[in-house]
Amino acid sequence: MYLSKNRNGTYYTRISLQKSLRDLGFPFSIRTSLNTKTRSQAIDRNLSTALFIRKLIDENISELAASTFTTWMQKKIQLFKNNEFHQDNVCFKQISEGVNIVNPPLNIKIKKANNEFLEVKKADNISYRSLEQLKLRTEHFMKWSKNIPLNSISPKMVMNYRNYLIKEGRSFKTNHSYMSACSQFFKWCTLVEYIKSNPFENIKLGQKPLKKKYEQRQRWSKEQLHKLFSHIQFRFNESDSEYKYADYWVPLICLFSGMRVSEVCQLGADKILKIDNIYVFDVDSADENTQLKTLNAYRQIPIHSKLISLGFLDFVTSRKVAEEKLLFNEKPLGKYVDWSKRIGGRFVGVFNRIGLAANERPTLYGLRHTFIDELQQQDVNENIVAELVGHSKSNITFGRYGKKVNIQLLKDKIELISPDLVKIKKYIN
C-alpha cells in the first residue's frame, strides 16, 4: 500500500492488485482519497483502508468480474468512508450487494455529495482539466437548485434546468456537456445509495443541430499542404530557435500518423520502438503527472516510410545522444497542462503568412483530420482507423471483443497515406 498527497494536500491510498488479477483485465491498482490533509490521521486511515480493500478482494475473489469491479469497489469504499473509515456493519460479500447496511441520511445536501464525488474522481486520476470541468458544471446546477437536499430533485426539476440551460445561449455541445456532467454525478449518488434513481437519466436536450460549413473540422487540401510545408522548410533552414525541430517534425508526424498535436509534443526519445521489424511510435504521456486524453490514446502506431525517408530516425538518435528525455522542447502551459498551446500559437503566425484566411483555414489539429480522411478515401475499415488515431470502437463486436490489430496490418494501412502529400527536403541536423 502507498500513501501519497495531491497538489491540494489531500492524502490518498493506493493498493496494487496482484498480477493474476491484472492479467484477467482488472486495473493495476485501486486509488482512493482519505479525506484528510492531516498526516497522522492519513496514516491511520491508510492502514484501515488498505485492510478493508484487501479483505473485500480476498472474500470475493471467486465472484469478481473485471467489467464490474471498479463500480462495485467504489460503492463498498464509499460505504466504508460514510461509516467513518470503520469496517463495522459494512457487508463484505458481493452476494449481499442490494442490502443497505449503512443508511445515508435522507436530507443530504448536494454540496456535500458533490465534494465526495469530486474526491472520487480525483482518485480515479482523471486530468486536472476534466476535474475542473466536472466541478464547473455540477456546481452550475447546484447554484441553480439552491443546494437543496438530493432526494428533493425530480426529473421535472431537471427538465426545468434543461430549459434554463438552453435559454442561457450556449452551444448544443456545451449544454450537452453540462447535462452529462450532472448525470454522471447523480449516477454516482445512486451508486453510493444517496438517492434511489438518477433524475437526469432520461432527460434529453432535443435534436442536435447540424453544423454549419465553417463549424465543421476542415482537412487540408493538397494545395494548402504544399504552402504549409514549403514555409516550414523555409523556416527550418533560416531558424536557430529551440523550437525549429518541433516546428518541422510535429506537423509531419500529425499528418502521417494521425496523432493529436499534444501527443506528438509529449513523445519520448525512448518511445520510438521496433516491433516485428517495424518502427513504431509508442504513444504515452510525458511523465507520471500527465495524462493523455483517453485510455484509447495509449497506443502504438507504425511510422510511415515518408517520415523515415526524411530522416526522422536520425533525429531520434540525435536526441538520444544529447540525452534528451523528450523529442521536442515543448512545455505544457496553463492550469490545464496544455502541451499543444505553445506550438499552436506559433503556427497562427505561419497560417497568416501563407495567406490562409482566419475564418476558413484548417488548423494543426486538421492534419489529424486529413489523415483520417485520407484513410477513409482508401476504404480502410473504421475500426482500424480508430486503432490508429486512438478512438474507442463504436461497434459493439469490435469494441468489446476485438483485440489489438497486429502491427503489420496497421503498417500496411498507414502506408496508404500518399507520401506525395508533402514536398519537403530531408531533415539535416
Side-chain angles (χ1 to χ4, degrees):
M1 63 181 177
Y2 299 91
L3 181 64
S4 61
K5 185 166 61 174
N6 70 5
R7 69 179 75 191
N8 297 316
T10 302
Y11 283 93
Y12 285 76
T13 190
R14 181 167 70 85
I15 312 297
S16 298
L17 298 185
Q18 55 263 47
K19 187 176 184 301
S20 59
L21 287 177
R22 300 201 302 269
D23 290 344
L24 294 174
F26 288 83
F28 182 85
S29 63
I30 301 164
R31 183 171 181 264
T32 188
S33 171
L34 296 172
N35 297 349
T36 183
K37 296 182 180 181
T38 304
R39 182 168 178 80
S40 59
Q41 187 178 41
I43 291 172
D44 292 339
R45 288 184 176 181
N46 184 46
L47 180 59
S48 62
T49 301
L51 292 172
F52 175 74
I53 292 174
R54 290 295 185 199
K55 186 175 180 182
L56 269 181
I57 296 173
D58 291 345
E59 295 195 8
N60 294 278
I61 189 67
S62 62
E63 300 175 29
L64 291 174
S67 59
T68 59
F69 174 78
T70 300
T71 300
W72 173 76
M73 183 63 74
Q74 284 181 347
K75 180 175 180 179
K76 291 296 187 182
I77 292 174
Q78 190 59 47
L79 289 172
F80 172 69
K81 291 180 181 180
N82 291 345
N83 204 34
E84 298 182 352
F85 290 83
H86 294 299
Q87 298 181 15
D88 303 338
N89 298 324
V90 178
C91 183
F92 279 87
K93 292 301 291 181
Q94 189 174 12
I95 57 174
S96 301
E97 192 72 15
V99 179
N100 292 329
I101 303 298
V102 179
N103 293 314
L106 295 177
N107 62 344
I108 187 170
K109 295 295 182 72
I110 300 178
K111 185 175 182 179
K112 177 182 183 300
N114 193 50
N115 288 340
E116 293 176 4
F117 167 70
L118 294 173
E119 284 295 325
V120 169
K121 302 310 290 185
K122 282 183 188 178
D124 287 344
N125 263 344
I126 68 171
S127 69
Y128 179 75
R129 178 195 291 269
S130 298
L131 188 65
E132 286 294 298
Q133 288 176 339
L134 272 177
K135 182 178 179 181
L136 171 70
R137 291 161 182 168
T138 54
E139 287 185 349
H140 183 271
F141 177 78
M142 286 165 49
K143 183 178 179 181
W144 176 83
S145 64
K146 298 180 173 57
N147 196 27
I148 64 175
L150 276 172
N151 63 346
S152 300
I153 298 170
S154 65
K156 181 178 180 180
M157 180 181 291
V158 173
M159 181 62 77
N160 290 336
Y161 174 67
R162 163 203 181 270
N163 296 338
Y164 174 76
L165 273 180
I166 294 172
K167 288 178 182 178
E168 283 194 314
R170 296 181 186 84
S171 68
F172 179 91
K173 181 179 179 181
T174 302
N175 283 338
H176 185 269
S177 297
Y178 273 72
M179 294 289 287
S180 295
C182 291
S183 183
Q184 186 181 162
F185 164 53
F186 279 92
K187 182 179 180 180
W188 175 85
C189 289
T190 63
L191 175 70
V192 298
E193 301 177 359
Y194 282 168
I195 53 177
K196 292 183 178 180
S197 61
N198 178 1
F200 276 80
E201 186 173 6
N202 296 311
I203 307 298
K204 308 297 181 185
L205 273 174
Q207 183 65 39
K208 180 179 180 180
L210 295 175
K211 285 187 176 181
K212 298 177 182 178
K213 184 177 180 180
Y214 64 83
E215 293 177 322
Q216 296 173 358
R217 290 203 185 275
Q218 296 186 47
R219 63 152 288 160
W220 289 76
S221 67
K222 291 185 178 181
E223 181 182 356
Q224 289 171 331
L225 288 171
H226 176 72
K227 287 182 179 180
L228 173 65
F229 286 100
S230 294
H231 190 79
I232 285 175
Q233 181 80 69
F234 171 77
R235 277 167 58 90
F236 181 80
N237 293 339
E238 299 294 322
S239 174
D240 59 359
S241 165
E242 65 173 313
Y243 303 115
K244 65 179 291 185
Y245 299 107
D247 290 351
Y248 178 91
W249 285 115
V250 171
L252 283 167
I253 295 173
C254 289
L255 178 62
F256 287 103
S257 74
M259 290 168 63
R260 300 173 177 91
V261 178
S262 60
E263 293 170 349
V264 182
C265 291
Q266 295 183 67
L267 279 173
D270 62 344
K271 293 298 182 179
I272 308 305
L273 311 178
K274 198 171 186 180
I275 300 175
D276 297 336
N277 210 35
I278 296 171
Y279 286 102
V280 301
F281 296 108
D282 186 19
V283 186
D284 200 351
S285 57
D287 53 53
E288 60 183 11
N289 298 318
T290 308
Q291 297 181 62
L292 299 185
K293 185 175 181 180
T294 65
L295 287 176
N296 297 303
Y298 296 86
R299 62 200 189 280
Q300 292 176 333
I301 308 171
I303 299 177
H304 195 287
S305 58
K306 178 69 173 182
L307 297 176
I308 295 176
S309 70
L310 290 174
F312 177 68
L313 297 180
D314 295 334
F315 168 69
V316 173
T317 299
S318 71
R319 296 294 283 182
K320 289 180 178 179
V321 170
E323 298 184 348
E324 297 287 352
K325 180 182 178 182
L326 299 180
L327 288 181
F328 308 109
N329 294 330
E330 299 298 317
K331 303 293 183 187
L333 288 180
K335 64 180 182 179
Y336 293 144
V337 194
D338 190 339
W339 282 84
S340 63
K341 191 169 185 177
R342 196 185 297 269
I343 189 172
R346 295 199 301 272
F347 268 82
V348 169
V350 172
F351 299 151
N352 289 334
R353 283 189 284 276
I354 64 177
L356 296 179
N359 63 337
E360 297 178 355
R361 67 192 179 204
T363 62
L364 273 182
Y365 192 91
L367 294 168
R368 169 178 163 89
H369 186 64
T370 305
F371 172 88
I372 294 172
D373 190 55
E374 286 291 315
L375 292 182
Q376 180 181 335
Q377 300 307 318
Q378 295 287 344
D379 199 27
V380 176
N381 185 287
E382 185 177 354
N383 290 291
I384 294 179
V385 178
E387 188 91 26
L388 287 168
V389 299
H391 285 165
S392 60
K393 297 176 182 179
S394 56
N395 182 291
I396 188 169
T397 303
F398 287 119
R400 183 173 297 176
Y401 303 108
K403 304 300 182 184
K404 291 288 184 182
V405 180
N406 71 75
I407 292 296
Q408 183 60 61
L409 178 57
L410 294 179
K411 174 69 171 175
D412 294 342
K413 299 305 180 183
I414 213 166
E415 289 296 331
L416 294 175
I417 304 292
S418 172
D420 295 333
L421 286 176
V422 170
K423 305 292 184 183
I424 196 169
K425 295 181 180 179
K426 184 175 181 178
Y427 150 84
I428 300 176
N429 194 355

